[in-house]
Amino acid sequence: VYYKAPFACFYKGINFANNLIAALEKRDATTETWIPAKVAEAKAARAYYYFWLVRLFSDVPLVLEPTTSSKFEGTRTPVPEIYNQIMEDLKAAEDMLPDVANADGRITKGGCKAILAEVYVTMAGWRRTPDGQNVEGDASYWALARDKAKEVLDMGTYTFASDYTQIFKDLALDVYNPEMIFDVPFTFNGTTDDGSTFPYFFGPVSDGGADPNGGAKEGAPSPLIEWLRELEPNDKRIDWNIAKYYYKAKTWDKVNYSDSSQWVIAKYRKWPDGDDSHGFYWGNYLYNFPLIRLTEMKMLYAEAANEANNGPTSEAYNQINDIRRRAGLLDLPSGLTKDQFRAKVMAEESIEFLGEGKRHYDLVRWGNFKQMMDKRRLSSWVLDYGGVEEEYINAPLPQEELDLNQWTQNK
């Protein structure tokens, strides 16, 4: 049931894009000069939706024409064919899109390049087929990922934020932060709940339940205690991403927890701290969601350069050390091997992008999903079930799609 909504929503977006492309391609772009940019934006959006679908479900139908049918024609399309279409769409779009920073949730030239860099790094890594085989990627994509990430870094359109916390304070208030490449914007018009609910699910907790007044609500996910022990203690990102306290009911009065096992993930907290004047409740908060930040391009460049060069380059060190310095940490030691540098990147990504929807897909493409999950000996999946099954790498297809199209469930 959980995966029915994303499956349907992504295909709904794809059909919107297909309809727009088909309609605009019938018009005269020589006289209506705005058309190529709109077609490019639709192709980039279609590519991005397919990128999410293949990472979630592996093989899925490749639909490139408008449709009104509730049933897919034919079988699921193999992942490599879908990636070929994704790359074709993104390459066709990137030079036709505007080079602007604040696009208010729309895909721009920088966003298109960044998505393509993500696609390349994913294709270089591992994936799982519908029949349960783990397949290694094509290592030639590491260099392509490195170069495409560098294009974004060199554009000069985006700025690496000097303060990590300011990125999320700006997101909380629907204010553009120059590090943001692509995000999902939310607004509230005062009459309907069309805002976000992120502070409800990823904010500090209260000892008296959710209330429009005060800083917290009823519950939030807790970080794994073993992972907390792996973090560098002086990392400034910890205190923003993780709440070591709870609020007294309906107040902004903080009470520190007595034990780290009680800490909760709180990246998308209510902001400004102590301010209820905006009157936002949980369903109409402005909090925008980050999809791609400039930091990801720096991290992706460092990872891809290390893999393509069979070891870290000086520029790879520069990019990762920029991120560490912002977090108040020392530079990485020189002379790291390829494997050692890769491990440092993996650790860095775990705290930098906590709560941004990236970790599962990173573990899959790194090929260490089961290893890293089972490493958490105190987790429920290890204590109760003896470990995680690799069949959970791919999401299950919605049952109604299996029934309607006679597909076989992912393994």
Side-chain angles (χ1 to χ4, degrees), residues 4 17 23 30 43 95 99 105 109 123 135 146 149 180 258 306:
K4 177 181 177 180
T30 60
K43 288 185 175 181
D95 290 332
D99 181 3
K109 182 186 293 290
M123 294 177 70
V135 178
R146 174 200 62 200
M180 199 59 54
S258 59
N306 178 57

Side-chain angles (χ1 to χ4, degrees), residues 181-410:
I181 296 176
F182 186 27
D183 67 352
V184 179
F186 289 87
T187 58
F188 179 60
N189 62 18
T191 58
T192 58
D193 290 344
D194 54 0
S196 72
T197 57
F198 299 124
Y200 187 92
F201 295 104
F202 294 101
V205 302
S206 163
D207 65 357
D211 191 270
N213 297 309
K217 47 85 175 186
E218 295 174 320
S222 297
L224 295 169
I225 190 67
E226 296 155 301
W227 173 72
L228 287 174
R229 292 169 181 161
E230 296 171 1
L231 297 176
E232 297 178 65
N234 296 325
D235 195 323
K236 294 179 181 178
R237 294 168 292 192
I238 295 174
D239 284 340
W240 180 265
N241 287 333
I242 299 169
K244 303 176 183 179
Y245 57 86
Y246 65 91
Y247 287 106
K248 297 296 290 181
K250 303 180 183 180
T251 75
W252 290 88
D253 298 333
K254 297 177 181 177
V255 181
N256 290 329
Y257 288 120
S258 59
D259 189 88
S260 58
S261 64
Q262 299 170 292
W263 296 354
V264 297
I265 297 172
K267 188 168 205 164
Y268 303 106
R269 63 192 64 187
K270 292 173 74 174
W271 190 260
D273 189 58
D275 180 10
D276 287 319
S277 62
H278 44 63
F280 293 141
Y281 195 53
W282 303 108
N284 54 33
Y285 218 81
L286 289 177
Y287 227 120
N288 297 339
F289 188 80
L291 293 173
I292 307 176
R293 299 191 275 119
L294 190 66
T295 303
E296 185 176 357
M297 293 297 101
K298 295 173 77 68
M299 198 90 74
L300 192 153
Y301 176 91
E303 178 188 356
N306 178 57
E307 300 294 339
N309 191 64
N310 201 32
T313 62
S314 59
E315 184 61 21
Y317 268 105
N318 289 340
Q319 297 295 346
I320 207 76
N321 284 334
D322 279 350
I323 300 168
R324 290 178 58 81
R325 290 170 195 152
R326 181 173 71 180
L329 302 176
L330 298 175
D331 289 356
L332 290 179
S334 61
L336 295 176
T337 66
K338 177 183 177 181
D339 290 345
Q340 290 171 333
F341 191 85
R342 182 194 299 126
K344 293 294 185 182
V345 170
M346 290 179 180
E348 204 69 41
E349 290 198 356
S350 72
I351 182 64
E352 175 70 29
F353 299 116
L354 178 67
E356 295 183 48
K358 300 184 184 298
R359 191 63 172 176
H360 174 86
Y361 306 104
D362 285 340
L363 294 178
V364 172
R365 66 181 181 81
W366 290 333
N368 62 357
F369 172 80
K370 181 172 175 58
Q371 172 194 344
M372 294 296 286
M373 295 291 283
D374 289 356
K375 180 181 177 182
R376 310 306 178 189
R377 299 293 182 183
L378 300 179
S379 65
S380 61
W381 56 84
V382 172
L383 292 175
D384 297 341
Y385 303 102
V388 71
E389 298 295 334
E390 287 191 313
E391 67 183 72
Y392 294 108
I393 286 177
N394 288 332
L397 290 158
Q399 186 61 48
E400 66 180 51
E401 298 296 341
L402 298 177
D403 296 339
L404 187 63
N405 301 292
Q406 300 300 302
W407 295 339
T408 302
Q409 185 60 274
N410 288 328

Side-chain angles (χ1 to χ4, degrees), residues 34-99:
W34 53 271
I35 288 178
K38 294 302 179 186
V39 171
E41 189 174 353
K43 288 185 175 181
R46 180 173 69 183
Y48 193 55
Y49 298 145
Y50 273 121
F51 184 44
W52 275 101
L53 281 167
V54 294
R55 289 183 299 164
L56 275 169
F57 301 106
S58 188
D59 298 356
V60 292
L62 181 62
V63 182
L64 302 176
E65 300 293 335
T67 180
T68 57
S69 173
S70 61
K71 182 179 180 180
F72 292 103
E73 299 297 330
T75 59
R76 296 159 66 185
T77 305
V79 166
E81 291 183 35
I82 299 176
Y83 272 126
N84 285 340
Q85 184 62 49
I86 290 171
M87 290 187 290
E88 180 181 323
D89 278 348
L90 293 173
K91 289 175 182 177
E94 66 177 316
D95 290 332
M96 302 302 298
L97 291 168
D99 181 3

